[in-house]
Amino acid sequence: MIARVWGTSVLVLTTVTILMSFFNYHIPTALWLLEAFMFFGGVIAFTMARGLSLFVVKRLFETVFVVWVIASMTFLLLRILPGGPFDTEKALPAEILANLETKYHLSDPLYKQYLNYMNDLAHGDLGQSYKYVGRDITSIIVETLPNSIQLGVYALLISYLLGIPTGVIAGWKQGSWLDFSAMFLAISGVSLPSFLMAPIFIMTFAFGLGWFEPALWEGPGYYVLPMVILGIRPAAVIARLTRASVLEVIHSDYIRTAKAKGLDSRTILFKHVLRNSLIPVLSLSGPLAAAILTGSFVIEQIFAIPGIAKHLVLSVSNRDYPLILGTTLLFSVMLVLANLATDLLMAVVDPRVKM
Amino acid sequence: MRLIAVLMLTIFVGCTKNSAHLEYGLDVKDTLRMNLLTEPPSIDWTKAEDTTSSNVLYQIQDTIIGYNLADPDLSMIPQLATEWKASDGAKTWTIALRKGVKWSDGVDFSPQQVIDGFERLLNPATAASYAYFLFPMKNAKAYNAGKIKDFKEVGAKINDKGQIVVQLEKPMSYFPLLLTHHSTAPVRKDIIEKFGDKWTYPENIQTIGAYRLKVWDHDKAVVLERNDGYYGEKAKIKNILGYMINEYSTAVNLFDAGKLDFQETIPLKELPLYKTKPGFHIAPGLSSYYYGFNMRKPPFNNLNVRKAFSQAIDRKQITDLLGAGQSPLTGWIPTGMFGYENDRGLKFNPEAARKALDDAGYKDRSKFPSITLGFNTNENHQRIAENFQAQIKKNLGVEIQLSNEEWKVYINRLKKDTPSIYRLGWIADYPDPDNFLALMTSYSENNHTGWVNKKYDDLVEAGASALDKEKRRAIYMDAQKLLTEVDVPVIPIYSDIRPLLLSERVQGFPINALNRWELKGVYFK
């Protein structure tokens, strides 16, 4: 009972926050804190109640190890990559190059640079960007990540809101024209790349119909196109998976029993089919979050959204070592945590899951 | 349920359409909206080295000497300096500074701040890329290399009249041009010491300019506001809003949607579409696009082969392909710059080209070694390279391999393993031919050809110190002849231009060949 109330209130709070952010209302810190408390408190309480503490702690330790491996590999790969941060079109005189290398400790022996970096990393210091003079990597992340998360959350929501109903209808009405058209749309959604979809949507909805803005990130009218385009591909994946899963459930014994009992089809659908067929869909959340994270670069570029995905890509062409390392680590941590969250979520909805 | 949906839709539509008001509390009617293209990497003017940063900097910080941007010759005009004079055969320069100028916080502008600016630019700890601008100054290079620790030994002093006296290593006729650049502008040491790297934050920075920095919303926008305490003529438009839109097509979309007043660069493919629109303008550019030969290895260690290749290329075909109004270039100094000569260089002459290749000992073309044309990955470079490849095949009967690499990998290759033919370009830092000719001296880091010609080096040095304009012109004629007709280590291809989009309400925009956009004189119709 407590769990249910708790869960519902977390859900309501999250919805409120998302809506507020969408309509550009200032979200008070108190709300953030309350939400963080509810969410993390819930997660901790749940893991303890289900006896999963050891599992979670183990996974978190694994995360630290993963971060170390990724940091070391990235560090090494960057030094193998030809071309350095100060190789520019207008070649610099040797004296100036030497000054720059001294300033950023690039003339130190490699092992020393590595140890220094690891030491700073252990203290939570990601260093300073080479390209954006005087800007900390941490502050770049703090300033741009929220926009990316905002976009990612909207896209994820859209993908569920579009994908699940489509999949359920297609599965429920298997073989009908509804099924065919839904699956046709889903296949198109999976196969159309976003850099093609974006111009089509911009031409249609921004210039043709004038409903939304063609680019920038300033309010609801600006959010719709990027979030829909970013969400469509995962929505298509979800729709196909939901359909398959609904079909599987429909043909199972307990649905036949329910039908034999004379339950009306609405109850069967909402009470029995939906709930059970959504479990596999939920397990997809981790990989989906990953797809949205990596897919956001193109969308952020096309819509000029001040997000972090741009830095992940452009830092490499700038050979901005600290920024490459910082963004790579950030993305890996986010992926690991998204997978952990999915595992825990699975344990919540499916009592059969054993960790 | 339906009610909620309708309600949400109403709020939604209500929120989307409010185009008169911009973010940051700005009003469209007194705000010039421009695209900066990227986040400015640094607005610390001593360290900044890119065009985005300078597009912000030239609004907020005056330089010692300015340009008359309306003059096609880009003559110099007083800015923080009122007068500059050469003596001792252009080896000493005396610069008189403006009196009664105040920084944005009311502090007086002083000669010491100019010296501080020089010192900071040259200080090895600053590690400024543009430090080499002041290397002509006495002992400046040694100070930058850490060989001299005391700045007093460097040739920049304040005399008893409060003027700046600069001693140079060698006579240099164009020294004042170096003072038009943001890197040599005065600095406020007190502010920099107080705030460290954070001195460029809007709440800390102090400047002398027609605008001042009001908001810097990283990766999103910069807002500049008119500085009412500016010593010169006040800016006509109250605010400048600079967006950071990386994608050209996105920016062009926003321009079409009426959300941008100024956009430089248009994607090549969309150019024909925009050429006929009212807001389309072309700014000349003091820049050149060229191919260089690796002269250290066969076949390009042979002069006749180089001549054959240079004569086998019809530059006009390439500029037609680009179609934006670039001009074919056979000499080294770009169109529009002092010293440019239409007739200089080897012209397109396929007959002579074939003969030169025969003379080089490649009458049997199958004996011609395999050669590679290297360039950095880019759609334009690809198209030009393919055209070059086709022309060489047609006119000389020789095959070229194309090889493109990511920018930094390519630059690294130029230094370590130069391709047989390589692509590079140059954009003027200041409107003086020395900026281009010095690229090909034997000691220049930008000369990847391996070409060494003492006579050319001497000519470039003589040109830099010559005060008489006609004498200079003659020297540069000789130097260009040596470079593009006699020794031919390079094939100049074209001088670039820059397409611009300006919304119809923008008036008085200073279109100029340096692409230096000072917006204080711009106004709305």
Side-chain angles (χ1 to χ4, degrees):
Chain A
M1 186 58 198
I2 297 177
R4 176 159 289 208
V5 172
W6 198 288
T8 318
S9 29
V10 168
L11 208 65
V12 169
L13 274 177
T14 319
T15 316
V16 168
T17 319
I18 292 174
L19 281 176
M20 282 175 78
S21 88
F22 188 81
F23 289 109
N24 267 8
Y25 287 104
H26 176 72
I27 299 167
T29 324
L31 185 61
W32 281 125
L33 288 177
L34 179 65
E35 234 168 296
F37 167 73
M38 296 283 289
F39 180 76
F40 288 109
V43 170
I44 292 170
F46 170 78
T47 41
M48 286 174 57
R50 285 285 296 271
L52 293 173
S53 326
L54 198 66
F55 164 76
V56 172
V57 170
K58 224 172 88 191
R59 282 287 289 272
L60 289 177
F61 268 108
E62 272 172 32
T63 311
V64 175
F65 179 72
V66 166
V67 165
W68 173 69
V69 172
I70 291 176
S72 309
M73 298 258 303
T74 318
F75 186 90
L76 212 70
L77 284 172
L78 283 179
R79 305 310 158 114
I80 298 170
L81 193 65
F86 308 113
D87 283 333
T88 47
E89 177 155 28
K90 301 191 170 181
L92 294 173
E95 298 85 358
I96 292 172
L97 214 53
N99 289 336
L100 279 163
E101 283 178 350
T102 315
K103 179 169 177 177
Y104 294 108
H105 304 287
L106 288 170
S107 42
D108 289 353
L110 200 58
Y111 78 90
K112 208 172 152 196
Q113 291 182 42
Y114 174 74
L115 290 180
N116 278 340
Y117 185 77
M118 284 301 151
N119 186 31
D120 289 347
L121 191 62
H123 292 91
D125 179 4
L126 291 169
Q128 279 206 344
S129 164
Y130 296 164
K131 172 86 181 170
Y132 305 105
V133 181
R135 254 179 109 192
D136 298 334
I137 304 302
T138 318
S139 73
I140 292 182
I141 292 175
V142 167
E143 275 151 350
T144 54
L145 184 63
N147 294 321
S148 292
I149 289 188
Q150 206 184 352
L151 173 65
V153 168
Y154 294 161
L156 204 60
L157 263 176
I158 283 282
S159 62
Y160 280 113
L161 289 179
L162 286 180
I164 292 176
T166 317
V168 169
I169 292 170
W172 191 245
K173 304 271 180 199
Q174 192 200 0
S176 70
W177 65 272
L178 267 174
D179 181 18
F180 285 123
S181 39
M183 281 310 105
F184 175 74
L185 279 179
I187 290 202
S188 326
V190 175
S191 25
L192 268 182
S194 48
F195 58 81
L196 181 66
M197 197 139 42
I200 297 176
F201 271 56
I202 293 172
M203 287 325 283
T204 319
F205 296 104
F207 287 106
L209 298 167
W211 290 356
F212 308 114
E213 305 292 345
L216 300 178
W217 194 245
E218 295 177 358
Y222 298 85
Y223 300 154
V224 177
L225 286 183
M227 76 188 199
V228 169
I229 294 167
L230 187 56
I232 272 187
R233 183 191 285 256
V237 175
I238 289 175
R240 285 162 58 84
L241 190 73
T242 312
R243 178 179 177 271
S245 163
V246 164
L247 283 179
E248 198 188 309
V249 174
I250 283 176
H251 294 122
S252 62
D253 293 342
Y254 62 88
I255 298 296
R256 198 173 336 125
T257 313
K259 277 184 183 161
K261 260 194 337 189
L263 278 179
D264 68 308
S265 54
R266 206 171 243 240
T267 320
I268 297 179
L269 175 63
F270 285 103
K271 205 133 190 196
H272 300 288
V273 177
L274 209 53
R275 205 176 270 193
N276 288 308
S277 55
L278 286 189
I279 291 170
V281 177
L282 215 55
S283 72
L284 203 66
S285 306
L288 268 190
I292 284 178
L293 276 182
T294 44
S296 54
F297 168 67
V298 178
I299 301 297
E300 284 184 12
Q301 280 290 92
I302 296 179
F303 288 96
I305 297 166
I308 186 107
K310 175 181 73 184
H311 287 301
L312 179 75
V313 179
L314 296 184
S315 60
V316 181
S317 22
N318 290 328
R319 300 290 189 277
D320 192 342
Y321 298 155
L323 190 53
I324 301 174
L325 279 159
T327 45
T328 312
L329 289 181
L330 177 76
F331 273 60
S332 13
V333 168
M334 280 178 13
L335 284 187
V336 173
L337 290 184
N339 279 324
L340 177 59
T342 312
D343 287 349
L344 287 178
L345 209 59
M346 290 298 291
V348 176
V349 294
D350 192 349
R352 291 170 299 184
V353 171
K354 290 264 178 329
M355 299 289 174
Chain B
M1 190 65 191
R2 245 175 231 160
L3 191 73
I4 296 175
V6 170
L7 201 71
M8 274 181 62
L9 205 71
T10 328
I11 301 175
F12 186 76
V13 172
C15 288
T16 53
K17 289 283 162 194
N18 51 353
S19 51
H21 295 282
L22 300 164
E23 279 205 308
Y24 315 105
L26 302 175
D27 197 330
V28 174
K29 77 175 192 302
D30 53 16
T31 305
L32 180 88
R33 300 153 305 168
M34 66 185 283
N35 181 16
L36 296 171
L37 302 175
T38 68
E39 154 92 0
S42 170
I43 55 166
D44 177 334
W45 53 85
T46 316
K47 295 180 182 178
E49 52 177 26
D50 63 286
T51 46
T52 293
S53 303
S54 46
N55 276 343
V56 174
L57 282 174
Y58 287 130
Q59 319 308 332
I60 61 173
Q61 177 60 44
D62 276 7
T63 44
I64 299 176
I65 297 172
Y67 286 109
N68 177 5
L69 296 175
D71 173 8
D73 288 338
L74 292 164
S75 48
M76 286 183 277
I77 52 168
Q79 215 161 43
L80 290 174
T82 49
E83 234 185 325
W84 48 96
K85 266 199 299 243
S87 51
D88 193 10
K91 214 178 156 188
T92 305
W93 286 86
T94 309
I95 299 135
L97 299 173
R98 199 179 286 277
K99 301 258 164 36
V101 174
K102 288 191 191 311
W103 291 78
S104 43
D105 59 349
V107 169
D108 286 328
F109 165 58
S110 74
Q112 186 55 42
Q113 291 156 354
V114 174
I115 300 288
D116 290 346
F118 292 169
E119 193 279 330
R120 185 159 183 265
L121 180 60
L122 287 169
N123 196 322
T126 314
S129 309
Y130 270 119
Y132 67 88
F133 262 40
L134 289 184
F135 281 4
M137 219 183 243
K138 195 178 136 214
N139 285 339
K141 201 169 174 178
Y143 184 74
N144 185 251
K147 287 179 198 140
I148 289 179
K149 301 282 173 207
D150 189 358
F151 192 72
K152 289 203 173 70
E153 292 177 46
V154 178
K157 306 269 177 311
I158 305 171
N159 69 10
D160 48 8
K161 288 186 205 139
Q163 296 166 323
I164 306 289
V165 181
V166 175
Q167 289 283 335
L168 302 178
E169 295 273 0
K170 282 182 280 202
M172 188 173 170
S173 59
Y174 64 91
F175 177 75
L177 281 176
L178 302 178
L179 305 181
T180 61
H181 195 260
H182 58 71
S183 62
T184 55
V187 297
R188 284 282 295 279
K189 230 171 150 182
D190 52 330
I191 303 275
I192 297 169
E193 273 164 10
K194 189 167 165 200
F195 299 108
D197 276 333
K198 297 186 169 47
W199 80 271
T200 52
Y201 287 22
E203 61 272 27
N204 304 335
I205 195 169
Q206 300 303 339
T207 52
I208 309 176
Y211 287 93
R212 42 177 220 89
L213 180 66
K214 192 178 167 198
V215 179
W216 187 355
D217 192 355
H218 287 294
D219 291 292
K220 190 171 175 191
V222 161
V223 178
L224 309 179
E225 188 183 51
R226 177 166 51 213
N227 172 13
D228 289 318
Y230 184 54
Y231 66 87
E233 202 182 323
K234 311 277 182 287
K236 297 202 169 70
I237 295 173
K238 188 167 172 231
N239 304 298
I240 296 174
L241 171 57
Y243 290 114
M244 301 162 191
I245 306 162
N246 308 161
E247 278 293 315
Y248 296 153
S249 23
T250 305
V252 167
N253 276 343
L254 284 170
F255 180 84
D256 286 340
K259 289 185 169 288
L260 268 185
D261 292 306
F262 166 41
Q263 158 69 12
E264 32 176 340
T265 3
I266 298 169
L268 194 69
K269 268 182 268 156
E270 294 177 36
L271 207 60
L273 207 72
Y274 284 90
K275 264 177 150 172
T276 50
K277 292 202 178 179
F280 181 81
H281 300 270
I282 282 186
L286 297 176
S287 63
S288 75
Y289 188 103
Y290 65 93
Y291 283 159
F293 294 115
N294 180 358
M295 288 175 51
R296 297 176 200 90
K297 281 192 236 163
F300 295 115
N301 53 358
N302 185 324
L303 172 65
N304 275 323
V305 180
R306 298 198 298 271
K307 279 188 169 166
F309 271 65
S310 186
Q311 284 174 298
I313 295 303
D314 181 7
R315 275 81 165 169
K316 184 137 189 321
Q317 259 194 43
I318 293 173
T319 53
D320 286 349
L321 181 80
L322 299 170
Q326 289 87 349
S327 43
L329 193 66
T330 47
W332 189 245
I333 298 175
T335 326
M337 187 176 259
F338 170 76
Y340 167 76
E341 295 166 278
N342 194 22
D343 294 334
R344 197 52 53 217
L346 297 176
K347 300 284 167 197
F348 176 53
N349 186 345
E351 299 262 307
R354 278 190 286 272
K355 187 173 174 301
L357 199 58
D358 292 347
D359 292 348
Y362 294 109
K363 219 168 179 118
D364 176 4
R365 299 286 197 261
S366 65
K367 293 226 175 70
F368 199 81
S370 131
I371 50 170
T372 311
L373 165 59
F375 54 96
N376 53 305
T377 313
N378 171 296
E379 203 186 328
N380 274 0
H381 302 336
Q382 179 80 35
R383 288 173 66 179
I384 295 168
E386 280 167 5
N387 182 283
F388 185 86
Q389 184 186 38
Q391 289 202 49
I392 292 290
K393 169 97 179 117
K394 179 169 171 253
N395 299 331
L396 292 179
V398 168
E399 294 281 356
I400 304 178
Q401 309 292 323
L402 302 187
S403 145
N404 69 84
E405 283 165 308
E406 187 260 358
W407 189 216
K408 298 259 176 183
V409 177
Y410 177 66
I411 299 235
N412 196 48
R413 172 169 317 274
L414 286 185
K415 284 194 274 190
K416 300 204 167 118
D417 175 26
T418 320
S420 333
I421 306 175
Y422 66 88
R423 178 216 81 86
L424 262 186
W426 189 264
I427 301 171
D429 294 308
Y430 41 84
D432 190 89
D434 180 73
N435 198 225
F436 282 81
L437 288 159
L439 294 177
M440 284 296 146
T441 53
S442 57
Y443 43 83
S444 159
E445 290 83 3
N446 289 294
N447 177 0
H448 303 286
T449 60
W451 179 57
V452 178
N453 188 320
K454 181 78 180 49
K455 201 174 152 208
Y456 181 83
D457 294 353
D458 291 345
L459 280 171
V460 171
E461 282 198 20
S465 57
L467 277 177
D468 179 69
K469 220 169 169 177
E470 284 320 304
K471 199 177 147 206
R472 257 194 119 192
R473 197 190 292 278
I475 293 173
Y476 287 144
M477 197 174 85
D478 289 344
Q480 281 201 88
K481 206 185 236 169
L482 207 55
L483 182 66
T484 58
E485 291 171 21
V486 180
D487 278 2
V488 204
V490 287
I491 312 180
I493 296 179
Y494 66 87
S495 293
D496 215 351
I497 47 91
R498 187 166 289 223
L500 305 177
L501 291 173
L502 289 172
S503 70
E504 284 179 67
R505 63 177 183 152
V506 174
Q507 305 288 314
F509 192 88
I511 293 178
N512 63 80
L514 262 187
N515 299 167
R516 176 162 165 153
W517 316 126
E518 287 179 22
L519 302 170
K520 59 188 169 198
V522 177
Y523 58 96
F524 290 141
K525 192 157 65 178

